[in-house]
Amino acid sequence: MLNFIDTVGEAVAGIQDGSTVMIGGFGNAGQPFELIDALMDCGATDLTVVNNNAGQGDQGLALLIKEGRVKKMICSFPRQSDSWHFDAKFRAGEIELELVPQGNLAERIRAAGAGIGGFFTPTGYGTTLAEGKETRFLDGKWQVFETPIHADVALIKALKADGKGNLVYRKTARNFGPIMAAAAKHTIVQVSELVPTGGLDPEVIVTPGIYVNNIVKVA
Amino acid sequence: MLNFIDTVGEAVAGIQDGSTVMIGGFGNAGQPFELIDALMDCGATDLTVVNNNAGQGDQGLALLIKEGRVKKMICSFPRQSDSWHFDAKFRAGEIELELVPQGNLAERIRAAGAGIGGFFTPTGYGTTLAEGKETRFLDGKWQVFETPIHADVALIKALKADGKGNLVYRKTARNFGPIMAAAAKHTIVQVSELVPTGGLDPEVIVTPGIYVNNIVKVA
Amino acid sequence: MSLETSIQTSDKPLGRDDLARLVARDITPGSFVNLGIGQPTLVSNYLEPEQNITLHTENGMLGMGPEATGDQIDGDLINAGKIPVTELPGASYFHHADSFAIMRGGHLDICVLGAFQVSATGDLANWHTGAPDAIPAVGGAMDLATGAKDVFVMMTLLTREGVSKLVETCSYPLTGIGCVTRVYTDKAVFLTGPDGVRVRETFGCTLEELQALVPVPLKAA
Amino acid sequence: MSLETSIQTSDKPLGRDDLARLVARDITPGSFVNLGIGQPTLVSNYLEPEQNITLHTENGMLGMGPEATGDQIDGDLINAGKIPVTELPGASYFHHADSFAIMRGGHLDICVLGAFQVSATGDLANWHTGAPDAIPAVGGAMDLATGAKDVFVMMTLLTREGVSKLVETCSYPLTGIGCVTRVYTDKAVFLTGPDGVRVRETFGCTLEELQALVPVPLKAA
């Protein structure tokens, strides 16, 4: 069910302790900063967070991690020059890390949205990230079995939404948004602009409204 | 390598006997009729054809089948009120049929383009179309192992192409075009309009030119 | 008055259009729905705008409108039955893998399908008669049966020969296992599930009369 | 003149920019290319327009242009290294699964990556030093290593301690097995494959001098 919501606080109010939360964005592009801040404020804890990175600087996801609200990160690239909050928690053994090659991360999220129970991919074969995983020789290559990543909630950022919840994005800020919207049970979107139904060309819609639950406009 | 070609005959000239050929379209929408006619004229035979249907009436794919050029059809819906050429060949035992649920057909084509060696899906579990296939209980459901469908050539129809081979489609004529373009080694596209590079908004391109080899404008 | 008569809501069997109206009325407002080829397509005639139902068509569209007529007809805009349709405001187009990801990923609230047979536990047979000379065609039926949150079937209760299509075990090849949740027929609406068949309402017959036609145990819902 | 000297094409080791120029020159016109973070990014400075190379960035774009400067900088338009870039005519955007499908589906002609180590048979180690206190980060390295038709590595031949990074067997954790086809270093260009290492050209050393630095058997290409 689609709801247009006035504040980011109300938009994230239903997120429960222990949830798996997908957060869009690659670096700062496409990060739903206002929704992450609202998640910080709403108090939900014991979270598993799916994001490409593990927070940067002293804002957004990095703060959630610093405050001990994230028990596990599923990501491809946690270590960055400014990932000090994650680094500290990780070294202290206070956060769990599931490190996933970025393409596996994307494909596993896509699989969850598309109803695929698992798939074989050559990525990671023979590496420590495939240790203990089932392997199979297919299409002339050794491949590794990977499973979908489901989520309770996705927090994503789009450029525009129409009255049916259809979304379009902007440039490389699109990144994980469309696949996370499809993979989560409940998708919360912050947009820069709301347009009337019929205000988006049906040919250019990237995320159909069927994948969207809460929409909040952020100034 | 991208080539802009003047005639459909030249565009399909490289198709070899014994090739697997994906043909876009669902019903008549998105069917590359001119390219199919050119395939008819070029003489290639012993083909495996991947299409949602198995030809209708006395044109296009139906004619290829009538002339005995297709040894095997991979499709989801061969039987239609006007599929008489397929019906006759099938009853005569002169054509092989791999019947695939339409969603498996689409996902298997997508898998080929995306480098996925195989995947599990609930579709078809417990039915005759899954007989003999590996099954596994995943995500709370019994699922069936399906493998990618690769092709030597794809023949598809798009609305416009730019100078880089980027494509946009029109309404439900989009259907199998984008996934077949990605799955085939060599993708041949008929378009209604050519526009200069830069003439398509980068946000709305459906098939990036990396998937396209031969483009021919059809009046 | 017996319990049986209390669930009889019509004094005669429902026609196809009345049945379609009933299905339409039962669809929760705001739902995303796929209507199968044939009889289920009639449901679209009875959806009210205030229900805010979004129709999906497997060939790559959400927000499908009514059948196209006259100048509206556009060969590039068809439904799963290859019939020209129209586009409503807020529609969107996508390719076949994305379209089936909507179906297979469990995002559709309801699909409405025709059937040859439905079993007491909700198994569906609707793609193949199993006749040795029949040419099979499956289309998207298995994806819809497996993927939609609820699968409604619309069919006549009896074959032309008077045999019940609601059966203990399907004799025709299956489309999906345990997937059907409701069966709308001319004589009754059945709720199917792991615990067997309950009857929500009957049309032109009592539950007792209905039970005489159907080879599976029935009870009122 | 010995065979060895005939493949020496420079009288001194190549600097990073000269090496980037050499890689750029070696890329077949019309190719689709992904340039990894760090040294490989320099290659984009030396691609000639007439080569008609299309650059892919893993975060969802084909047709990436040079680094953005001044007013061009747009936070929504960045590369895999999170550096603002520009868009060339004919560019396209897509989501992450579609972007990695391009990489994993074998559609990129070449990717150019940095490396900690490359083995004689083309194994690549470039994501993790294996140090017990290191926090690992892999990004798209394994997808590129496995998916691109050709994987070129750019690195200095020796570590700061003077140890060859071209090795018999990688001691660092692997990124991919047998994936590297060429290794561009300051001292030589190596061709790697199942049959071992051949040297295409040397810079500032003879093949014999090079062999003294590298613990795997070398022969001229």
Side-chain angles (χ1 to χ4, degrees):
Chain A
M1 186 60 79
L2 179 65
N3 297 294
F4 290 87
I5 292 179
D6 289 334
T7 68
V8 289
E10 293 167 88
V12 305
I15 301 179
Q16 306 289 316
D17 290 354
S19 296
T20 295
V21 181
M22 290 179 171
I23 301 180
F26 180 93
N28 288 341
Q31 285 258 11
F33 284 113
E34 287 80 357
L35 288 175
I36 302 171
D37 288 348
L39 176 58
M40 185 73 194
D41 294 341
C42 87
T45 191
D46 209 24
L47 303 172
T48 295
V49 172
V50 184
N51 179 261
N52 189 59
N53 305 108
Q56 299 169 259
D58 294 298
Q59 62 178 345
L61 177 54
L63 278 190
L64 269 181
I65 291 169
K66 178 190 176 196
E67 296 300 324
R69 306 267 289 280
V70 181
K71 71 172 175 194
K72 179 178 179 181
M73 277 301 316
I74 302 177
C75 67
S76 88
F77 211 81
R79 186 201 60 224
Q80 303 197 82
S81 58
D82 55 355
S83 60
W84 42 73
H85 292 307
F86 175 82
D87 298 2
K89 288 283 177 191
F90 184 76
R91 294 215 160 92
E94 290 170 9
I95 196 166
E96 190 183 342
L97 171 65
E98 181 177 347
L99 187 72
V100 183
Q102 195 175 160
N104 284 359
L105 186 66
E107 189 70 18
R108 291 174 63 192
I109 294 169
R110 191 254 172 203
I116 299 299
F119 60 87
F120 285 93
T121 171
T123 294
Y125 177 75
T127 75
T128 56
L129 296 187
E131 264 171 23
K133 296 188 174 183
E134 178 182 350
T135 58
R136 192 176 291 197
F137 194 75
L138 293 163
D139 277 340
K141 290 176 191 168
W142 280 101
Q143 310 208 13
V144 181
F145 187 62
E146 296 288 347
T147 54
I149 301 174
H150 296 277
D152 299 297
V153 179
L155 306 182
I156 66 169
K157 178 182 173 181
L159 179 65
K160 297 182 194 181
D162 72 8
K164 291 279 189 185
N166 294 307
L167 306 179
V168 295
Y169 301 81
R170 187 164 178 276
K171 302 190 185 282
T172 58
R174 185 184 304 194
N175 59 66
F176 285 94
I179 52 175
M180 288 182 169
K185 289 193 198 88
H186 195 80
T187 295
I188 305 171
V189 188
Q190 65 172 68
V191 299
S192 304
E193 194 180 342
L194 295 171
V195 303
T197 298
L200 295 177
D201 179 352
E203 300 284 2
V204 314
I205 288 166
V206 175
T207 295
I210 192 169
Y211 293 126
V212 176
N213 300 100
N214 290 2
I215 296 180
V216 56
K217 187 183 166 202
V218 166
Chain B
M1 187 60 77
L2 179 66
N3 296 294
F4 291 87
I5 292 179
D6 289 334
T7 68
V8 289
E10 292 166 89
V12 305
I15 299 179
Q16 306 289 316
D17 290 354
S19 296
T20 295
V21 181
M22 291 180 171
I23 301 180
F26 179 94
N28 288 342
Q31 285 258 13
F33 284 113
E34 287 80 357
L35 288 175
I36 302 171
D37 288 349
L39 176 59
M40 185 74 193
D41 294 341
C42 88
T45 191
D46 209 25
L47 303 173
T48 295
V49 172
V50 183
N51 180 260
N52 189 60
N53 306 108
Q56 299 168 258
D58 293 299
Q59 61 179 345
L61 176 53
L63 278 191
L64 268 181
I65 291 169
K66 177 190 177 197
E67 296 300 325
R69 307 267 288 281
V70 180
K71 73 172 171 192
K72 179 177 179 181
M73 276 302 313
I74 302 176
C75 67
S76 89
F77 211 81
R79 184 200 63 221
Q80 303 197 83
S81 57
D82 55 355
S83 60
W84 43 71
H85 292 308
F86 175 82
D87 299 2
K89 287 284 178 191
F90 185 76
R91 293 214 159 92
E94 290 171 11
I95 195 166
E96 189 184 343
L97 170 64
E98 181 177 346
L99 186 72
V100 182
Q102 196 176 160
N104 285 358
L105 187 65
E107 189 70 19
R108 291 174 64 191
I109 294 169
R110 191 254 172 203
I116 299 299
F119 59 88
F120 285 94
T121 171
T123 293
Y125 177 77
T127 75
T128 55
L129 296 187
E131 265 171 21
K133 295 189 175 183
E134 177 183 350
T135 58
R136 191 178 292 198
F137 195 75
L138 294 163
D139 277 341
K141 291 175 191 169
W142 280 100
Q143 309 209 14
V144 182
F145 187 63
E146 296 287 348
T147 54
I149 301 175
H150 296 276
D152 299 298
V153 179
L155 306 181
I156 67 169
K157 177 182 172 181
L159 178 64
K160 297 183 193 181
D162 72 8
K164 291 279 188 185
N166 295 307
L167 306 178
V168 295
Y169 301 82
R170 187 166 178 276
K171 301 187 185 285
T172 59
R174 186 184 302 194
N175 58 66
F176 285 94
I179 52 174
M180 288 180 169
K185 288 194 199 86
H186 195 81
T187 296
I188 305 171
V189 188
Q190 64 172 69
V191 299
S192 304
E193 194 181 339
L194 295 171
V195 302
T197 298
L200 296 176
D201 179 353
E203 300 284 3
V204 313
I205 287 165
V206 175
T207 295
I210 192 170
Y211 293 126
V212 175
N213 299 101
N214 290 2
I215 295 180
V216 57
K217 188 183 166 201
V218 166
Chain C
M1 198 179 235
S2 74
L3 181 66
E4 284 81 2
T5 55
S6 73
I7 62 166
Q8 182 171 334
T9 59
S10 161
D11 58 3
K12 53 183 184 191
L14 292 198
R16 289 160 60 96
D17 283 286
D18 287 338
L19 199 60
R21 186 180 292 112
L22 180 62
V23 174
R25 195 199 65 192
D26 283 355
I27 294 176
T28 306
S31 294
F32 292 87
V33 176
N34 185 300
L35 302 174
I37 300 176
Q39 193 175 349
T41 303
L42 291 177
V43 172
S44 67
N45 297 342
Y46 300 100
L47 294 171
E48 301 293 340
E50 57 273 25
Q51 285 181 279
N52 190 29
I53 304 302
T54 304
L55 293 182
H56 174 262
T57 183
E58 68 194 27
N59 51 318
M61 182 186 195
L62 275 163
M64 181 174 67
E67 195 170 325
T69 56
D71 288 351
Q72 293 176 322
I73 292 172
D74 178 340
D76 284 345
L77 180 46
I78 61 175
N79 66 13
K82 287 147 194 162
I83 293 165
V85 291
T86 52
E87 166 190 303
L88 295 179
S92 55
Y93 297 104
F94 26 78
H95 63 56
H96 242 80
D98 282 349
S99 184
F100 277 80
I102 288 174
M103 297 154 72
R104 296 151 64 97
H107 305 286
L108 292 177
D109 296 298
I110 295 169
C111 77
V112 186
L113 297 173
F116 298 147
Q117 289 177 326
V118 178
S119 84
T121 54
D123 293 352
L124 172 67
N126 79 344
W127 72 283
H128 194 347
T129 61
D133 68 333
I135 294 175
V138 65
M142 290 186 179
D143 305 288
L144 280 168
T146 309
K149 289 174 197 157
D150 271 302
V151 177
F152 292 178
V153 160
M154 286 178 78
M155 64 181 193
T156 57
L157 180 60
L158 306 179
T159 65
R160 284 181 205 169
E161 294 75 29
V163 178
S164 175
K165 299 183 191 172
L166 184 63
V167 295
E168 194 61 50
T169 306
C170 295
S171 58
Y172 288 156
L174 292 183
T175 307
I177 294 180
C179 55
V180 177
T181 51
R182 288 192 203 172
V183 185
Y184 289 83
T185 75
D186 52 332
K187 293 193 168 42
V189 177
F190 303 90
L191 311 180
T192 50
D195 302 329
V197 182
R198 288 168 303 144
V199 181
R200 190 182 77 177
E201 55 188 314
T202 63
F203 314 123
C205 60
T206 64
L207 182 55
E208 206 164 42
E209 289 164 344
L210 187 68
Q211 181 67 79
L213 299 171
V214 171
V216 300
L218 302 177
K219 57 184 176 194
Chain D
M1 197 180 237
S2 75
L3 182 64
E4 283 81 1
T5 55
S6 72
I7 61 166
Q8 181 173 335
T9 58
S10 161
D11 58 3
K12 53 182 184 191
L14 291 198
R16 288 160 61 96
D17 284 284
D18 286 338
L19 198 60
R21 186 180 291 114
L22 180 63
V23 174
R25 194 199 65 192
D26 282 355
I27 294 176
T28 306
S31 294
F32 291 87
V33 177
N34 185 299
L35 301 175
I37 301 175
Q39 193 175 350
T41 303
L42 291 177
V43 172
S44 66
N45 296 342
Y46 300 100
L47 294 171
E48 300 294 338
E50 57 272 24
Q51 283 181 282
N52 190 28
I53 304 302
T54 304
L55 293 182
H56 173 264
T57 183
E58 68 193 29
N59 51 316
M61 182 187 195
L62 275 163
M64 181 174 66
E67 197 171 325
T69 54
D71 288 351
Q72 293 176 322
I73 292 173
D74 177 340
D76 285 345
L77 181 45
I78 60 175
N79 67 12
K82 287 147 194 160
I83 293 167
V85 292
T86 52
E87 166 191 304
L88 295 180
S92 55
Y93 297 104
F94 26 77
H95 63 57
H96 243 80
D98 281 350
S99 184
F100 277 80
I102 289 175
M103 295 155 73
R104 295 152 64 99
H107 305 286
L108 292 178
D109 297 298
I110 295 170
C111 76
V112 186
L113 297 172
F116 297 145
Q117 290 177 327
V118 177
S119 84
T121 54
D123 295 351
L124 172 65
N126 78 343
W127 71 284
H128 195 347
T129 61
D133 67 333
I135 294 176
V138 66
M142 289 185 181
D143 305 288
L144 281 168
T146 309
K149 288 175 197 155
D150 271 303
V151 177
F152 292 178
V153 160
M154 285 178 79
M155 64 181 191
T156 56
L157 180 60
L158 306 180
T159 66
R160 283 182 205 166
E161 293 75 28
V163 178
S164 174
K165 299 183 190 173
L166 184 64
V167 294
E168 193 61 50
T169 306
C170 294
S171 57
Y172 288 157
L174 292 183
T175 307
I177 294 179
C179 55
V180 177
T181 51
R182 286 191 206 172
V183 184
Y184 289 83
T185 75
D186 51 333
K187 293 192 168 41
V189 176
F190 303 90
L191 312 180
T192 51
D195 303 329
V197 182
R198 289 168 302 144
V199 180
R200 192 183 76 177
E201 54 189 313
T202 62
F203 314 123
C205 59
T206 64
L207 182 55
E208 205 164 43
E209 288 163 345
L210 188 69
Q211 181 68 78
L213 299 172
V214 171
V216 301
L218 302 177
K219 56 184 176 193

